[in-house]
Amino acid sequence: MSAPVTAAAGRAAAPGRRELAYAVLLCLAGAGLAAWAVTRGWSVEPTARGALPSGQRRSTGADLLPWASALAYVGLAGGGAVLATRGRLRRALGLLLTGVGLGVAVGGGVGLTEAGVTRHWPALVLVGGLALAAGGAFTAARGAGWPAMGARYERRAAGPGGSADADRPAVERGTRDAWDALDRGEDPTVT
C-alpha cells in the first residue's frame, strides 16, 4: 500500500521540481548572460599618443557601469541560493532577485542610451536582467510550495539521550566517529 502512495507523492512533486528547475535556470541564464555581456567592449575611443599613430582605448560595460556587473554576480549567487532555501525565505529571495534583475536591466538600458556605445552588448545585459527579474518574480510567486533540499543537508536535533548520534544508523555513526578521530589527529584504521 505504501508504493502507490509514494508514486502519487512523486507525481505530485514533479511539477514543483520542474518549476524550481525552470526558475533557477532562468535566473542563472539571465544573470550569466548579463555578467558576460557587461565584460565585453562597449565602446572604443581613439587616443592621441604624440608622434606615434593614435591608439584605441576600449571600455567594457563594467568600466562604464561597475554596479551592473556587481548586480549580475549577485543574481548568479541568488539563483543558486534558490535551491537552498524554502518557504518564506525563498519568496523573499525571489523578491530580491526581481529587484536585482530590474537593476541589471536598468544598467542595460543606460548603456543603450549612452553615446558612442555599441548597442548589442547593452541589449544583451537588458535581456539578461529581464530574464533574471522574471525568474525572481516566478520564484516569489510560486516558490514557497516547491520542494527543498533533502533532510540529509539539515542538522538534526538532539535525541532524548541528548545526542543527535543516537538516532543515526551504525554505519553513519562509524563514519562520523572516523572523521572525529581524524580531527583529533588519530588514525582511525589502527585498531
Side-chain angles (χ1 to χ4, degrees):
M1 194 146 254
S2 65
V5 172
T6 305
R11 282 192 301 273
R17 284 191 190 111
R18 193 173 313 123
E19 288 179 355
L20 173 63
Y22 291 153
V24 169
L25 288 175
L26 191 59
C27 288
L28 292 179
L33 177 65
W36 175 73
V38 81
T39 62
R40 306 294 101 196
W42 284 21
S43 68
V44 178
E45 300 169 5
T47 58
R49 300 189 308 183
L52 297 173
S54 65
Q56 294 181 344
R57 181 178 180 274
R58 183 177 299 259
S59 296
T60 66
D63 294 334
L64 301 173
L65 304 168
W67 53 270
S69 63
L71 285 177
Y73 290 125
V74 168
L76 279 171
V82 169
L83 293 171
T85 56
R86 68 169 67 167
R88 286 187 213 156
L89 184 60
R90 185 178 280 164
R91 279 195 166 170
L93 180 62
L95 290 173
L96 176 70
L97 286 173
T98 302
V100 167
L102 291 175
V104 171
V106 165
V110 167
L112 285 172
T113 63
E114 291 290 319
V117 173
T118 60
R119 300 289 178 234
H120 55 282
W121 298 123
L124 287 177
V125 171
L126 176 70
V127 169
L130 291 176
L132 175 60
F138 188 53
T139 300
R142 308 265 315 196
W146 295 339
M149 293 176 101
R152 65 180 164 195
Y153 299 109
E154 296 176 5
R155 185 176 180 147
R156 294 186 183 172
S163 170
D165 292 337
D167 296 335
R168 291 194 308 204
V171 172
E172 190 176 328
R173 262 194 320 267
T175 304
R176 175 65 182 218
D177 292 340
W179 282 109
D180 288 341
L182 283 172
D183 287 341
R184 290 189 303 270
E186 301 171 3
D187 184 1
T189 61
V190 176
T191 54

